Amino acid sequence: MIKFIIDLWRSNIIIAATKLDVFDYLAIRPMTAEELAEQTDTHAASLYRLLRALASLNYVEKIEKKRFQLTPKGQLLRNDVPYCVKHCILGCAADTYEIWEKLPKAVKTGKMVDDSLFGQDHYGHMKNHEEELENFAKANAELTLALCPIITEIYDFSRFKHIVDVAGGNGAFLSLILAKAQNAKGTLFEVGPMIELAKRNLAKTSVKDRCFFEKGNFLESVPAGGDCYIIKNALANHDDEALKVLENVRKQMKSGTIFLLCQAILPEINKPHIAWQTDLLFFMVVNGVERTEEDWLQLISKAGLKLNKITRIGYFYDIMEILL
């Protein structure tokens, strides 16, 4: 049990260093605490203590002339390097810290906590706070690049001509899919603020000429014309809203259309799975829920759709193939 407490302390050390851009500045060159303090606008002696703690966790190491340099582990907390997790730290840990502090209140009241923290729900708050929205989008992109290549390896996307990524974030997942489906075009469907981030992100990729964008809300409608519709990790909302989204996708499906739902499927109780933790987070931020296989079967059937097969991946996502 003591380890869990120490892990919380360690998380706060890593969050602090990431917020201060310590890893980005040390990527330029090794520095002393005094040199780094000038770059980060921090107190040199206190920063030295933070660097010592980071060295004990193997994120930096002290070298000659009292300088510190990044370790391979610390490199992952820089901006713009392969498999970087900087924005996972900022978006999934730092920006949700206040929310996790409210878990006792959520359990007592049975209500989500974002309204009491921000005066509005989580996504409404992010739309009005550009830095948090960007952290969220980049965190999802980092998770996608780390966890989703296996989806494009396991599932054959090459047979499709028009792939519609519903609530597709900044387009990282769509770019992975289109790299495999080289004869397909892709439509990214998102709300307004995310569309602009997606356009900027996909403009940097080799699939940019096959990407199209449509703005909207999946609770109201989804684009027409796809022979493959995909929703990844965006249906943790409560049952009424999730059902409405499934029904909206069904309206655009024809015979032969494939609908892929990439979501966590809760295992039996007592079995470890990250979704037991994300279930609590979704509950607090959007009154959402993770679901068991039986829950998904009932919801899909209620929407007038048929679950054709499940491809188990584990950890974050499984693939549910759905037909009319």
Side-chain angles (χ1 to χ4, degrees):
M1 292 300 297
I2 297 298
K3 182 181 182 299
F4 286 108
I5 298 170
I6 294 170
D7 284 344
L8 179 61
W9 297 346
R10 289 170 174 166
S11 297
N12 280 291
I13 290 166
I14 296 163
I15 288 169
T18 305
K19 281 186 168 183
L20 293 170
D21 293 321
V22 164
F23 304 104
D24 290 294
Y25 284 114
L26 287 180
I28 299 170
R29 61 180 174 84
M31 297 185 194
T32 65
E34 289 75 19
E35 291 169 336
L36 186 58
E38 288 184 13
Q39 300 293 327
T40 56
D41 192 25
T42 55
H43 181 255
S46 301
L47 180 60
Y48 179 72
R49 296 171 73 172
L50 178 62
L51 290 167
R52 289 189 310 189
L54 290 168
S56 76
L57 300 175
N58 195 30
Y59 287 94
V60 303
E61 59 184 357
K62 189 178 179 183
I63 57 175
E64 75 281 353
K65 298 181 181 178
K66 298 183 179 180
R67 294 180 301 163
F68 289 86
Q69 68 179 12
L70 291 182
T71 63
K73 194 173 171 182
Q75 295 281 353
L76 296 176
L77 291 168
R78 298 169 47 191
N79 253 324
D80 300 325
V81 294
Y83 302 106
C84 127
V85 292
K86 176 177 181 176
H87 292 91
C88 285
I89 298 293
L90 295 174
C92 301
D95 290 346
T96 62
Y97 199 85
E98 288 179 287
I99 295 168
W100 281 110
E101 286 183 329
K102 297 293 184 181
L103 180 57
K105 179 180 179 180
V107 172
K108 279 189 173 185
T109 64
K111 296 178 181 178
M112 68 182 198
V113 299
D114 260 20
D115 284 349
S116 61
L117 275 173
F118 307 121
Q120 58 189 151
D121 68 56
H122 186 60
Y123 297 115
H125 171 76
M126 282 196 300
K127 287 175 189 176
N128 296 317
H129 293 79
E130 187 175 345
E131 184 177 348
E132 288 189 29
L133 179 64
E134 189 161 342
N135 285 340
F136 175 77
K138 288 185 175 180
N140 280 331
E142 289 170 2
L143 286 171
T144 295
L145 294 175
L147 300 172
C148 293
I150 191 172
I151 294 176
T152 61
E153 295 296 331
I154 288 174
Y155 197 87
D156 179 18
F157 289 93
S158 64
R159 55 189 162 137
F160 301 119
K161 299 299 182 186
H162 183 192
I163 297 165
V164 180
D165 190 0
V166 177
N170 80 342
F173 189 38
L174 184 60
S175 69
L176 288 176
I177 293 169
L178 292 179
K180 293 290 185 180
Q182 297 187 5
N183 294 317
K185 68 177 182 178
T187 295
L188 188 135
F189 182 67
E190 257 293 2
V191 294
M194 290 298 293
I195 281 282
E196 297 309 312
L197 291 174
K199 286 179 178 178
R200 293 199 297 269
N201 184 53
L202 285 167
K204 304 172 188 175
T205 70
S206 62
V207 300
K208 60 185 178 186
D209 294 334
R210 293 186 283 130
C211 294
F212 300 86
F213 304 89
E214 191 167 329
K215 181 169 65 175
N217 185 333
F218 65 0
L219 290 171
E220 298 170 2
S221 65
V222 301
D227 56 353
C228 176
Y229 287 84
I230 300 172
I231 297 179
K232 176 181 69 66
N233 203 34
L235 274 191
N237 2 22
H238 59 76
D239 282 356
D240 289 345
E241 287 188 347
L243 178 62
K244 182 63 177 173
V245 174
L246 294 179
E247 289 173 339
N248 286 339
V249 175
R250 187 200 66 211
K251 289 176 184 176
Q252 302 300 344
M253 294 175 68
K254 301 174 183 177
S255 177
T257 302
I258 301 292
F259 174 22
L260 298 177
L261 195 51
C262 301
Q263 295 277 161
I265 299 177
L266 286 170
E268 297 174 10
I269 294 179
N270 296 332
K271 291 189 176 180
H273 198 290
I274 189 67
W276 295 120
Q277 286 83 62
T278 55
D279 176 65
L280 288 171
L281 181 60
F282 290 142
F283 160 48
M284 290 188 288
V285 298
V286 291
N287 197 28
V289 62
E290 298 280 22
R291 296 178 175 87
T292 64
E293 182 177 336
E294 182 59 32
D295 293 334
W296 281 116
L297 279 168
Q298 290 181 12
L299 195 61
I300 291 164
S301 177
K302 195 172 181 180
L305 295 164
K306 174 187 174 184
L307 179 59
N308 187 46
K309 67 177 180 179
I310 296 175
T311 302
R312 299 280 183 176
I313 297 175
Y315 206 60
F316 265 90
Y317 312 120
D318 296 299
I319 306 171
M320 290 173 272
E321 185 182 76
I322 299 168
L323 307 175
L324 273 176

